[in-house]
C-alpha cells in the first residue's frame, strides 16, 4: 500500500484577507501596494487581517504595480584609470572600518522602512556590469561611495536618471545630492592641537591626491600651519591603508628624523605610522605626537590609542539614506548638500 505525501498547506489569498477585513479585494490590493489615498481606518483593518490570516504579499507582482523593488544599492566605486595601491580594491573595501560604518548608518534608516541594502563593489572590471544592473531597475536608488576625482560613475548615474546620493563632495560638478564632513575644519582642529602641544616640526601623511578628501586634508593642513607661522610640512602620500601609512612614515623619518608632530589623513594610516615610529625608537607621544582622522576602530586599536578627528560617519550615512528616500518620494527634487561638523577626540597619541 502506498501513501501519498501530505500536500503543503495552501497559502492565504487576497480574497480571504478582504473577507477578514470586511473590505473589497481592490482595497486590500491598494493597501498592499501602499496607495496613499486609502482611508486610514480601512488600512488598519486590512493590516490586522493580513496578520490574522498570515497572508504574505507577492513582492514580484507588487513591484509590477508600484515599479519599486524596495531595495537600495550601496555602490563602492573605483574609476577605470585608478592608480596602483598597496592593497587590492576588495581588500581595501572590506578592511577599512569606514565602509562598515557607512553600511551600518544607512541600515539604521532603511531597515525600518522595509528597504533592503545591497552592497555592490564596482572596481574597474565590474563597472559596465554594475551599470547594466542599475540601468535595468533592480534597485530603486543608489548610495554611492565615489572617492576619486576622475570617477565617471556619478556622472553616468546622473545621466541615466538613477536616484543617487553621494558619500562625499564629488571631484567634478554633478547634479546629485551629497553628504560630507567639513574637511578643512577638521584639519584645523588637528593642526591647532599639535601646535598647542608645543609641536613645531610637523609633517603629514596625506591621502591619495586623486581623491577630493586627500586633496582637501593636505591643502587645509598646509594652510593651518601657515596661519601659525610654521613652514610648509614635509609630505608623504599614502592610500588610506595601514601598509601605506607604514611606508609613508618610513619615508618621512628617512628625510626628516627630527619631526616632533605628525598629522595623518586617516586612522588606518596613522596606526601603521605609529608602529613604524616605535620601531625606529621614537616614543609616542613623548618624542612625537600623532593625530589621525576619522575616529574609526583603528584609532582604538592603535597603541597608544589615537588622538583623531571624529567625523560622524553613521549619522552621515543615515542622512544619505534620508536624502535618497526623499528623492524617491519626490522625483525631480533639487540636489542638496549636507555638511557635518567634525570634532577633536584627544587620546594618548598626543
Amino acid at each position: 500500500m502506498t501513501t501519498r505525501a501530505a500536500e503543503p498547506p495552501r497559502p492565504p489569498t487576497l480574497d480571504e484577507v478582504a473577507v477578514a477585513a470586511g473590505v473589497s479585494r481592490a482595497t486590500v490590493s491598494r493597501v498592499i501596494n501602499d496607495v496613499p489615498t486609502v482611508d486610514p481606518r480601512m488600512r488598519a483593518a486590512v493590516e490586522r487581517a493580513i496578520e490574522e490570516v498570515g497572508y504574505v504579499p507577492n513582492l514580484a507582482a507588487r513591484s509590477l504595480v508600484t515599479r519599486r523593488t524596495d531595495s537600495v544599492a550601496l555602490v563602492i566605486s573605483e574609476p577605470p584609470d585608478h592608480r596602483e595601491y598597496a592593497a587590492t580594491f576588495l581588500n581595501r573595501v572590506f578592511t577599512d572600518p569606514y565602509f562598515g560604518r557607512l553600511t551600518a548608518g544607512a541600515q539604521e534608516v532603511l531597515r525600518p522602512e522595509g528597504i533592503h541594502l545591497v552592497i555592490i563593489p564596482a572596481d574597474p572590471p565590474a563597472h559596465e556590469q554594475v551599470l547594466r544592473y542599475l540601468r535595468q531597475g533592480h534597485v530603486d536608488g543608489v548610495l554611492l561611495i565615489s572617492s576619486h576625482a576622475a570617477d565617471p560613475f556619478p556622472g553616468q548615474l546622473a545621466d541615466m536618471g538613477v536616484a543617487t546620493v553621494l558619500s562625499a563632495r564629488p571631484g567634478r560638478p554633478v547634479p546629485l545630492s551629497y553628504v560630507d564632513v567639513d574637511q578643512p575644519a577638521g584639519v584645523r582642529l588637528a593642526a591647532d592641537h599639535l601646535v598647542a602641544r608645543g609641536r613645531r616640526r610637523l609633517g603629514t601623511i596625506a591621502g591619495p591626491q586623486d581623491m577630493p578628501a586627500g586633496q582637501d586634508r593636505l591643502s587645509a593642513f598646509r594652510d593651518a600651519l601657515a596661519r601659525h607661522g610654521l613652514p610648509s610640512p614635509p609630505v608623504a602620500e599614502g592610500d588610506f591603508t595601514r601598509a601605506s601609512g607604514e611606508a609613508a612614515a618610513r619615508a618621512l623619518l628617512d628625510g626628516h628624523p627630527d619631526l616632533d608632530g605628525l598629522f595623518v589623513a586617516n586612522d588606518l594610516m596613522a596606526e601603521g605610522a605609529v608602529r613604524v615610529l616605535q620601531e625606529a625608537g621614537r616614543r609616542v607621544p613623548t618624542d612625537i605626537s600623532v593625530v589621525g582622522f576619522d575616529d574609526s576602530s583603528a584609532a582604538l586599536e592603535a597603541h597608544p590609542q589615537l588622538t583623531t578627528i571624529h567625523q560622524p560617519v553613521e549619522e552621515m550615512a543615515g542622512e544619505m539614506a534620508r536624502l535618497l528616500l526623499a528623492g524617491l518620494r519626490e522625483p525631480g527634487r533639487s540636489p542638496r548638500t549636507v555638511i557635518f561638523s567634525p570634532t577633536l577626540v584627544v587620546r594618548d597619541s598626543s
Side-chain angles (χ1 to χ4, degrees):
M1 178 179 174
T2 60
T3 57
R4 296 176 59 187
E7 294 185 0
R10 179 182 58 80
T13 67
L14 208 66
D15 291 313
E16 289 171 335
V17 174
V19 170
V23 299
S24 69
R25 189 179 191 278
T27 297
V28 175
S29 179
R30 288 199 296 273
V31 170
I32 290 172
N33 291 315
D34 204 22
V35 175
T37 56
V38 178
D39 181 274
R41 289 171 298 179
M42 288 187 175
R43 182 182 299 277
V46 170
E47 289 171 348
R48 283 195 301 271
I50 287 173
E51 186 174 347
E52 288 170 6
V53 304
Y55 177 76
V56 178
N58 184 327
L59 296 181
R62 176 185 169 184
S63 67
L64 291 174
V65 176
T66 64
R67 298 186 178 181
R68 294 202 314 268
T69 65
D70 288 336
S71 60
V72 163
L74 177 66
V75 177
I76 307 164
S77 174
E78 186 164 85
D81 57 349
H82 73 292
R83 51 168 277 180
E84 292 297 321
Y85 291 105
T88 65
F89 173 67
L90 289 179
N91 179 271
R92 282 179 280 125
V93 167
F94 291 111
T95 59
D96 190 332
Y98 174 76
F99 298 116
R101 294 175 66 193
L102 270 177
T103 302
Q107 284 276 54
E108 282 294 312
V109 172
L110 296 174
R111 184 179 289 142
E113 299 289 334
I115 295 176
H116 300 285
L117 188 65
V118 183
I119 300 174
I120 306 178
D123 53 336
H127 261 211
E128 288 304 317
Q129 178 185 6
V130 173
L131 282 173
R132 284 197 302 273
Y133 178 86
L134 299 175
R135 187 182 295 114
Q136 290 166 358
H138 293 291
V139 295
D140 298 324
V142 174
L143 301 173
L144 179 59
I145 305 174
S146 173
S147 304
H148 298 263
D151 191 355
F153 228 88
Q156 289 169 324
L157 292 181
D159 291 343
M160 287 163 49
V162 175
T164 303
V165 176
L166 301 175
S167 66
R169 175 180 69 83
R172 300 171 179 173
V174 62
L176 297 174
S177 295
Y178 72 87
V179 176
D180 207 344
V181 70
D182 189 335
Q183 306 280 358
V187 176
R188 285 194 298 271
L189 290 172
D192 292 350
H193 175 74
L194 287 168
V195 172
R197 287 290 193 263
R199 306 305 183 176
R200 295 295 182 271
R201 299 183 301 279
L202 302 176
T204 184
I205 297 176
Q209 292 305 289
D210 59 350
M211 294 185 179
Q215 297 165 358
D216 291 347
R217 293 175 194 180
L218 177 56
S219 63
F221 191 62
R222 285 172 168 154
D223 291 345
L225 295 197
R227 182 169 51 83
H228 284 288
L230 297 175
S232 186
V235 179
E237 184 180 337
D239 63 16
F240 287 144
T241 63
R242 186 180 289 106
S244 75
E246 294 174 353
R250 291 189 186 98
L252 281 177
L253 282 179
D254 286 345
H256 306 273
D258 63 339
L259 290 178
D260 65 3
L262 185 62
F263 168 62
V264 188
N266 83 332
D267 291 339
L268 271 180
M269 293 196 300
E271 185 187 6
V274 166
R275 291 182 185 178
V276 169
L277 292 171
Q278 292 169 333
E279 288 169 2
R282 304 298 303 279
R283 294 169 297 170
V284 180
T286 303
D287 300 326
I288 181 168
S289 294
V290 178
V291 178
F293 199 111
D294 284 340
D295 194 21
S296 68
S297 59
L300 298 176
E301 292 164 1
H303 300 284
Q305 292 187 341
L306 292 173
T307 294
T308 186
I309 303 303
H310 175 78
Q311 56 171 335
V313 175
E314 290 83 358
E315 291 87 344
M316 293 163 67
E319 183 62 20
M320 287 174 63
R322 282 187 284 272
L323 287 173
L324 183 61
L325 293 177
L328 292 172
R329 295 181 185 121
E330 188 183 338
R333 195 169 182 259
S334 297
R336 290 190 58 204
T337 298
V338 180
I339 305 296
F340 282 75
S341 296
T343 54
L344 174 70
V345 180
V346 179
R347 296 195 181 98
D348 299 331
S349 67
S350 67

